[in-house]
Amino acid sequence: MKWIRRTSRSISTRVVLAIAGGVASFFLCGVIADSRLDVAVDIRTTDAAELRVGYASAGEFHHLSDMEPVSHELPIPAGGGTRFHAFLPRKHLGQLAVEVGGANLDQISKIQVGTLIPTMFAGNELSRLGYSEAAGNPAVHRVVLPALSAVERGGIATFILLWVILWGTCLIGRRVIQLLTAPFPERDFSGSLAFKSIVFTRTFAGFFVPLVVLWTFFLLVFYPGAVPGDPALQWTMGKHTAYGQSHSMLHTLLMGSISHYRDSASTVAFIQLCVLAFMLSYGFVFLLRLGVRRDLVYLSFGLVLIWPLFGVYAITIRKGVAYAITTLEVTICLTRLILDRQARESWSSWIALGIGLGLMPLFRVNGLLVLWCILPVLLVAFYKHPRVYASACLMFVLYYGFTTVAVPFFRPRPRIPAQSSRGLQMSVGSLIAQDLPFAPDEYAYLHRVRPLTDQWGYSTVYTRDYRNKLNKRYLRRNHGEFMDIAKSLVGRYPLLLIKSRFDAAAYLFSPNGRPGETAINCYSLDVHRLYPYKRTEASLFPQLRTWVSAALIRTKKPDLIWLFWRPTLWFYALVIAAAALCLRQRSLLYLLPACPAFLTMVSVVLAAPAQHVRYVLSLYFVLVFFAPLARLPQTCLATEPVTESGSANGIDRIRSWLGERRRGHAAG
């Protein structure tokens, strides 16, 4: 009877999901059918011409719209001539047809149809298409194009495709929820994972002290630390208490507080490197207490010591570094909550998790994506533990309390809307670079924002020159119009916009990048001119600074940059480590600690304005902790208090051996 009830309940759930998917598909089909399609025709001549567009049926032409020419003042098309444009409703389209009057067919250089993947017909291809003279008017020529795909018309084919996708997604989501609600591993470490039992140990000092000493020496070499443009501006804001919302208010307040204590950026850099060393050392000792192999932990620790990225960004004052440290803290908290039963029953673990997740969006805006995506997963996975709801409340109180109460108290300058849409500006620039058909008023607006002569000079790597040439004053005054155009383009070219975002984040997936784009923005160890003490604070070891700078510049060459600065290998290593951990432990729950890093990568794909390593620092900081975790023992560990690696450390073993020798000699 239980099996019958379970089966009937499963079938009823699938039926409900199928019906819900059908309703959503029907609604989406209506939206697609009512949407409009771009059609553009480029003619080599600038003489007067009349173009009409419609669809052909049974040998007759059904007129839908007159095509509107783009202004001759705009450099469109690039080779000269005139571009005509029209919008057509998708639901009426069968055999698309264009009637040309006042010009010969051989003067048509290109016809574009803005389908999901835009279709282009060059002028020399028109002879292979169906064309003829219009009935009763030999001066008008008609071109019949291939029929629009059935999937794009919003009909039954579209409905079936959407229904399969939505229903399949619901079934996969239902299975993921079942896996997330699986029982937690019953491991009891008897307080060995507590904060005091990890921090106040010689092993912790063995990790912490070398990192602090090495990075402090690096700070003295590049004294007073790396202060790029944005942190230098934040320093000025904090020093003069003239805040703005273009950067993280919390990070600016922290810098300002430290500057009032000691007026030097080196103090901020030193505190930052100490916090980073503390979190990494805590993670390494935590791994040893879990029973992870020592050689893997020491290998990860050695990688942190020798890899240039950790030393460079330990002394680089950026909000991205603070965000990455917070991501590592959240990862360690999630790992402990999954593995340790006592941690799930302790308030301190949930408070630490709530504070970490609440701070992430305060350091970087993309932390909001992490917060909103990981919160429902937490509520599902830990639904049997009431403390998770208190932790969720703490996240919201910390974030929204700071943004709605603390931020207005300091009266910051309002955020400029145009600055918050840089990722969208890049996406629009990518569409312009592909010479896609836009409406004449859209061309006119975009030409005022930046001349279209070089198609906005779009680049996925170096965006500073591209952004500096934008007419920012016009963009600020007419930002609403830009957002309307961008929203319209999202609906008309969704696949191309998705592709443009993946192209902008190609450094995550390809070690060599796109053709001609092997370089990325790596780091800057300079002190920006906005920093007031640039000339008075200099390196304590100028000759050594020259040598180290030369070595770092060598790592940026095309033959080494893929290894040292492109995050591709680290990204795939994190994917492999997460998959290995889940397969080894036979539970999807172990994917949860890696979610903050993966969601950060998603936010980079969605909105990163440039290919820069600083956007993916979380990947590096989390991987040195998560990679050894992939070899976590499958069996439950001992329940009595343990030390590193489940046994005594090296010094204690030596003492025990010497004691046994003394007792043996005494007995002899």
Side-chain angles (χ1 to χ4, degrees):
M1 295 299 295
K2 291 183 179 179
W3 177 83
I4 295 176
R5 286 197 298 269
R6 192 183 307 115
T7 304
S8 62
R9 188 162 52 246
S10 176
I11 293 175
S12 62
T13 303
R14 295 182 182 182
V15 170
V16 170
L17 292 177
I19 295 174
V23 173
S25 301
F26 181 78
F27 173 76
L28 291 175
C29 281
V31 173
I32 293 174
D34 291 336
S35 63
R36 299 184 300 174
L37 190 75
D38 290 84
V39 178
V41 179
D42 292 348
I43 297 182
R44 296 186 180 91
T45 180
T46 58
D47 297 335
E50 295 182 359
L51 279 78
R52 302 193 309 165
V53 65
Y55 65 97
S57 177
E60 296 184 2
F61 177 75
H62 300 270
H63 172 255
L64 291 178
S65 175
D66 292 332
M67 303 195 74
E68 185 179 356
V70 178
S71 174
H72 295 296
E73 299 176 358
L74 303 180
I76 301 168
T82 308
R83 171 168 293 179
F84 289 80
H85 176 274
F87 280 123
L88 297 181
R90 290 177 182 267
K91 61 184 177 182
H92 291 302
L93 291 185
Q95 287 287 120
L96 186 64
V98 178
E99 283 194 349
V100 182
N104 297 324
L105 286 178
D106 56 2
Q107 293 179 331
I108 297 178
S109 59
K110 182 170 55 177
I111 297 179
Q112 291 176 285
V113 183
T115 50
L116 287 176
I117 300 178
T119 307
M120 186 189 72
F121 304 95
N124 55 8
E125 297 178 353
L126 298 181
S127 59
R128 293 182 295 173
L129 303 175
Y131 68 95
S132 61
E133 296 179 354
N137 192 351
V140 177
H141 301 274
R142 181 182 303 158
V143 180
V144 180
L145 304 178
L148 191 67
S149 171
V151 175
E152 296 195 42
R153 298 186 193 178
I156 186 64
T158 310
F159 174 83
I160 294 174
L161 178 62
L162 291 174
W163 180 76
V164 171
I165 292 174
L166 293 176
W167 189 40
T169 303
C170 291
L171 292 179
I172 294 174
R174 178 172 173 266
R175 181 56 180 164
V176 170
I177 292 175
Q178 291 175 349
L179 294 174
L180 287 175
T181 54
F184 286 95
E186 290 299 329
R187 298 187 179 187
D188 190 355
F189 296 91
S190 301
S192 63
L193 299 182
F195 180 82
K196 293 182 180 179
S197 64
I198 289 181
V199 174
F200 299 107
T201 59
R202 287 188 296 271
T203 307
F204 178 85
F207 289 119
F208 180 73
V209 173
L211 290 175
V212 172
V213 171
L214 177 64
W215 291 342
T216 301
F217 180 72
F218 201 68
L219 174 61
L220 296 177
V221 172
F222 290 93
Y223 194 82
V227 190
D230 290 348
L233 179 60
Q234 290 179 259
W235 179 272
T236 305
M237 291 179 182
K239 184 175 177 59
H240 300 288
T241 63
Y243 300 103
Q245 297 189 53
S246 56
H247 300 287
S248 168
M249 273 288 295
L250 177 61
H251 194 249
T252 305
L253 287 172
L254 293 175
M255 291 177 61
S257 302
I258 297 173
S259 68
H260 288 296
Y261 171 73
R262 186 176 183 275
D263 199 11
S264 174
S266 60
T267 308
V268 180
F270 180 75
I271 294 175
Q272 176 179 280
L273 71 87
C274 287
V275 175
L276 176 58
F278 180 90
M279 288 308 306
L280 289 172
S281 303
Y282 185 93
F284 292 143
V285 180
F286 182 84
L287 290 173
L288 293 174
R289 293 289 176 87
L290 291 178
V292 177
R293 287 170 45 184
R294 279 179 171 274
D295 54 348
L296 295 177
V297 178
Y298 290 149
L299 179 63
S300 188
F301 173 64
L303 192 65
V304 173
L305 287 175
I306 67 174
W307 208 257
L309 179 139
F310 291 93
V312 166
Y313 278 98
I315 66 169
T316 301
I317 304 174
R318 279 194 181 276
K319 58 188 177 184
V321 180
Y323 174 86
I325 296 173
T326 310
T327 305
L328 176 60
E329 186 264 347
V330 171
T331 301
I332 296 174
C333 288
L334 290 172
T335 305
R336 188 186 175 197
L337 286 170
I338 290 175
L339 294 175
D340 191 5
R341 179 177 56 84
Q342 289 187 351
R344 294 193 291 271
E345 298 173 356
S346 171
W347 277 105
S348 60
S349 302
W350 293 106
I351 291 174
L353 177 64
I355 291 175
L357 285 173
L359 288 177
M360 289 181 68
L362 293 178
F363 284 126
R364 290 200 68 91
V365 178
N366 53 342
L368 272 176
L369 176 68
V370 180
L371 177 61
W372 282 108
C373 290
I374 209 169
L375 181 60
V377 178
L378 287 176
L379 296 179
V380 171
F382 296 96
Y383 74 99
K384 292 183 179 180
H385 303 274
R387 290 180 177 85
V388 69
Y389 303 105
S391 181
C393 293
L394 179 60
M395 302 173 203
F396 286 104
V397 169
L398 184 60
Y399 174 70
Y400 288 103
F402 184 85
T403 54
T404 59
V405 178
V407 171
F409 176 78
F410 293 99
R411 298 178 180 178
R413 295 191 301 273
R415 184 179 180 88
I416 299 174
Q419 292 182 343
S420 61
S421 60
R422 288 179 177 176
L424 205 54
Q425 293 168 21
M426 282 191 62
S427 299
V428 174
S430 70
L431 297 181
I432 294 175
Q434 298 177 61
D435 193 27
L436 296 175
F438 295 168
D441 56 339
E442 294 173 339
Y443 277 125
Y445 174 84
L446 296 173
H447 187 67
R448 294 190 190 100
V449 173
R450 190 185 190 280
L452 297 172
T453 51
D454 62 346
Q455 295 181 331
W456 273 27
Y458 172 73
S459 171
T460 59
V461 180
Y462 300 108
T463 61
R464 178 169 298 177
D465 295 338
Y466 150 70
R467 292 202 310 264
N468 288 344
K469 292 181 181 179
L470 296 179
N471 188 342
K472 297 179 180 179
R473 180 176 299 178
Y474 181 82
L475 187 61
R476 291 171 186 173
R477 291 200 308 261
N478 303 274
H479 189 256
E481 187 175 353
F482 172 79
M483 294 303 296
D484 292 338
I485 292 176
K487 292 176 183 178
S488 176
L489 295 177
V490 168
R492 286 147 54 189
Y493 304 110
L495 296 183
L496 291 183
L497 283 173
I498 293 173
K499 179 181 178 297
S500 72
R501 293 313 311 162
F502 276 96
D503 288 342
Y507 71 128
L508 289 177
F509 314 109
S510 174
N512 296 320
R514 302 174 65 199
E517 295 183 351
T518 56
I520 62 170
N521 299 286
C522 300
Y523 64 89
S524 173
L525 286 172
D526 297 327
V527 179
H528 197 268
R529 57 180 176 79
L530 291 177
Y531 180 66
Y533 310 114
K534 179 178 180 179
R535 297 181 179 179
T536 58
E537 296 184 341
S539 171
L540 302 183
F541 307 95
Q543 186 62 42
L544 187 58
R545 176 182 179 127
T546 303
W547 294 341
V548 176
S549 298
L552 289 174
I553 291 173
R554 178 67 183 88
T555 63
K556 295 170 62 176
K557 299 298 182 181
D559 58 333
L560 291 178
I561 193 172
W562 66 271
L563 177 63
F564 288 100
W565 297 105
R566 295 187 73 88
T568 310
L569 299 180
W570 294 71
F571 174 74
Y572 289 128
L574 183 61
V575 172
I576 293 172
L581 180 61
C582 293
L583 292 175
R584 184 178 174 84
Q585 303 298 326
R586 299 179 181 179
S587 175
L588 197 62
L589 281 172
Y590 291 88
L591 185 62
L592 188 57
C595 282
F598 283 130
L599 290 172
T600 301
M601 301 303 105
V602 172
S603 68
V604 169
V605 174
L606 292 177
Q611 293 188 12
H612 205 302
V613 175
R614 62 189 173 98
Y615 296 131
V616 293
L617 287 178
S618 303
L619 174 63
Y620 292 86
F621 293 0
V622 170
L623 181 61
V624 293
F625 168 80
F626 203 84
L629 189 65
R631 295 290 298 174
L632 180 71
Q634 292 177 285
T635 57
C636 296
L637 302 185
T639 56
E640 67 269 9
V642 295
T643 57
E644 294 80 7
S645 194
S647 61
N649 57 32
I651 296 177
D652 292 336
R653 284 199 297 270
I654 294 174
R655 287 179 176 176
S656 177
W657 179 76
L658 291 175
E660 291 178 359
R661 296 275 295 182
R662 292 195 194 99
R663 287 192 293 272
H665 287 302

